[in-house]
Amino acid sequence: NRFREQLLDCPVELTVQLGVTAVPMKDVLQFGVGDVVLLDQSPGDLMTGFVEGVPKLLGAAGVVKGANAYRVVKSISGPVG
């Protein structure tokens, strides 16, 4: 039906989490250009993809036609949506 088609065309926010860490506020206040923050992810680890803030995907970072990209490897909790 038409409502379903319109709903399926609605944009949703997809966010990919690069990694996580805990940092004391005193360190955050001293961050400057060029500082490096160590994350819990290792190179090659799968990254979580969030759809509207809900974890739904696992995937890997890459480059496609010169643009940063995210390749979905699997769904975390069934089909998205």
Side-chain angles (χ1 to χ4, degrees):
N1 73 34
R2 197 172 79 187
F3 175 74
R4 177 178 163 76
E5 290 174 16
Q6 289 176 337
L7 185 61
L8 291 175
D9 283 336
C10 288
V12 295
E13 182 178 86
L14 171 63
T15 306
V16 176
Q17 182 174 303
L18 179 61
V20 177
T21 194
V23 180
M25 180 56 78
K26 65 179 180 177
D27 292 348
V28 172
L29 295 173
Q30 294 177 5
F31 281 165
V33 175
D35 286 348
V36 175
V37 178
L38 299 178
L39 303 174
D40 65 347
Q41 294 280 107
S42 297
D45 284 355
L46 296 179
M47 293 183 274
T48 303
F50 296 82
V51 177
E52 292 294 327
V54 179
K56 289 288 190 177
L57 309 165
L58 288 177
V63 177
V64 175
K65 297 181 183 177
N68 292 329
Y70 178 69
R71 181 178 47 87
V72 176
V73 174
K74 72 180 222 176
S75 178
I76 291 176
S77 57
V80 176

